[in-house]
Amino acid sequence: MAPDPGAPVFADYFDGIRALRQRARLRAQTGDRGRVLLIEPPAGEAVRWPVRRIRLLPDQAPGGALAYGLVTGGEARLVVEDEEARDLIERLDPATRAKLPGPPLWRRALMVSAGGVAALAVLLFLVLPGLAGLLARFMDVEAEIAMGEIHYEQTRVFFAQGLEPLRECGSPAGAAALDALTERVAQGVDLPYDLQVAVLDDSARPILNAYAVAGGRIAFFNSMIQAAERPEEIAAILAHEIAHVVNDDPVRHTLQSASGLAVISVLVGDVTGGGLLSGMLGGAIASGYSRDAELAADAFAADQLRSVGLPPSALGEMFQRLRDRYGDVEGLMEHFSTHPALADRIRTADAAGDPPIGRPALTPKQWADLRDICS
């Protein structure tokens, strides 16, 4: 039996505002501006689509329902399954068989690029830092020690003037004094490995710094030893670096830097990671830890120094003297520019309160030996 041309024709209408499918009646009308497809939902006002602007949506599966939209834009859609409804639309204008044009290539490229940048930002600043913090707490001890060995050797190269790594100072008397100071400051600190403290010869370019890497390795630049006026100042800096080791800051910081730069190296075509990652380890030291990590290390150092009978105020004294000598933008002061305000740290160290002082951090002879460790 032939279809009744007067029978009502229906399709599913989506207004593009609500996630609601409405079974709407379709009718053809002719008005002042040409032919229109009248879409009558069960509730609400009828919608008029100019026939000359109706097009098929691209990329539709063959044999299924047909979805139509308007070339003028908008999210409204008409989904047609019944053959009678398809015939009605095509009879109104054969041009409705044509497909809606996709967005311009530049717009699609911009959208894809923006999405990629957003995803990369989430990966670098949220996902990877979170994973680094988790891995730092559960890293195998031997793996951490191995990481620290690599990190330490890389930093010796990174801070050197030429291709040769910075010399590790080791006069016997100076090394013995450094071991004695380390034993005193680290008393009662529980770590799964031995602390290894070294002094690096930075006489070609003084750096005025000290740093810790994974696996319990701590390095002083000799210029820092020479800038101190008494051994208690070096003891205070050592306590601060021990705090970073105890808090897993070097492991977390290294993993964050390595994972982020590994992603970037692949994106720029350095698949092996050598070009960018070769400078990452030294750069991680130069960039410093977060404000929270530094404040936690200061607090730990103050408690540790009091527990072994040494003055936390020595750290503030050294900071103040170097600040007076070099200002806030050179040497050590430049390193601490990314940390909590130096003046605040000086006040915090002074306010920590010194315990009754017993024996000094080192004897006068030991202090002289430590200062001559690079001779």
Side-chain angles (χ1 to χ4, degrees):
M1 179 181 294
D4 181 3
V9 176
F10 294 90
D12 293 326
Y13 175 67
F14 298 84
D15 61 13
I17 301 174
R18 300 165 295 172
L20 176 64
R21 179 174 63 182
Q22 303 180 73
R23 192 65 175 171
R25 182 177 179 179
L26 306 182
R27 289 195 295 161
Q29 282 188 343
T30 302
D32 296 338
R33 297 186 180 182
R35 309 186 77 181
V36 298
L37 180 66
L38 185 66
I39 305 172
E40 298 176 308
E45 296 183 1
V47 179
R48 288 173 171 80
W49 279 14
V51 171
R52 67 181 183 277
R53 295 177 179 174
I54 299 175
R55 295 292 185 272
L56 281 170
L57 268 63
D59 302 325
Q60 299 192 54
L66 297 180
Y68 294 87
L70 294 173
V71 294
T72 53
E75 300 298 325
R77 296 291 183 260
L78 188 66
V79 179
V80 179
E81 294 185 1
D82 298 341
E83 193 69 30
E84 294 81 4
R86 298 183 190 181
D87 292 342
L88 171 64
I89 295 173
E90 291 183 6
R91 284 198 310 270
L92 290 174
D93 190 340
T96 57
R97 299 175 185 174
K99 294 184 177 180
L100 280 173
L105 289 178
W106 66 266
R107 187 179 299 172
R108 280 187 281 179
L110 183 62
M111 293 172 61
V112 171
S113 299
V117 170
L120 182 61
V122 170
L123 178 65
L124 292 178
F125 298 110
L126 294 178
V127 177
L128 294 181
L131 289 176
L134 182 64
L135 291 174
R137 292 198 299 270
F138 296 102
M139 175 170 280
D140 179 74
V141 173
E142 293 184 0
E144 182 179 342
I145 293 173
M147 175 191 289
E149 292 284 348
I150 297 172
H151 194 166
Y152 175 67
E153 295 303 326
Q154 286 281 354
T155 54
R156 290 177 62 197
V157 174
F158 180 85
F159 290 110
Q161 285 286 83
L163 297 179
E164 290 294 322
L166 290 180
R167 180 173 69 93
E168 194 175 76
C169 303
S171 70
L178 183 60
D179 289 343
L181 183 66
T182 302
E183 183 178 356
R184 172 78 177 276
V185 174
Q187 183 179 339
V189 174
D190 185 20
L191 290 170
Y193 36 64
D194 294 331
L195 288 172
Q196 301 180 68
V197 185
V199 177
L200 300 177
D201 183 3
D202 63 334
S203 55
R205 184 181 60 135
I207 299 174
L208 278 173
N209 200 0
Y211 64 90
V213 297
R217 273 193 172 274
I218 296 172
F220 281 86
F221 294 102
N222 188 44
S223 57
M224 176 68 80
I225 305 290
Q226 303 308 314
E229 291 187 350
R230 57 191 182 114
E232 285 74 20
E233 295 174 353
I234 298 301
I237 294 173
L238 178 58
H240 179 90
E241 298 305 327
I242 291 174
H244 283 309
V245 174
V246 171
N247 294 336
D248 292 325
D249 293 332
V251 179
R252 181 168 50 255
H253 197 51
T254 301
L255 290 175
Q256 288 175 357
S257 301
S259 56
L261 284 176
V263 172
I264 295 173
S265 68
V266 171
L267 292 178
V268 301
D270 181 15
V271 179
T272 64
L276 287 172
L277 292 177
S278 59
M280 176 276 300
L281 297 173
I285 291 297
S287 66
Y289 299 114
S290 69
R291 176 183 177 85
D292 289 343
E294 290 298 336
L295 290 174
D298 283 348
F300 179 97
D303 290 342
Q304 180 64 20
L305 289 168
R306 280 195 298 266
S307 72
V308 298
L310 292 174
S313 62
L315 185 64
E317 292 173 8
M318 186 170 187
F319 283 168
Q320 184 62 60
R321 188 173 63 258
L322 293 176
R323 186 189 190 197
D324 294 341
R325 183 183 305 174
Y326 298 106
D328 285 341
V329 293
E330 299 182 32
L332 179 70
M333 302 304 103
E334 182 178 12
H335 170 70
F336 280 105
S337 66
T338 56
H339 296 172
L342 187 63
D344 291 342
R345 300 184 72 187
I346 293 171
R347 286 192 293 269
T348 300
D350 290 341
D354 293 341
I357 305 300
R359 61 187 176 91
L362 292 175
T363 66
K365 181 180 184 309
Q366 287 175 318
W367 177 231
D369 291 339
L370 179 57
R371 290 175 61 83
D372 289 339
I373 193 171
C374 290
S375 299

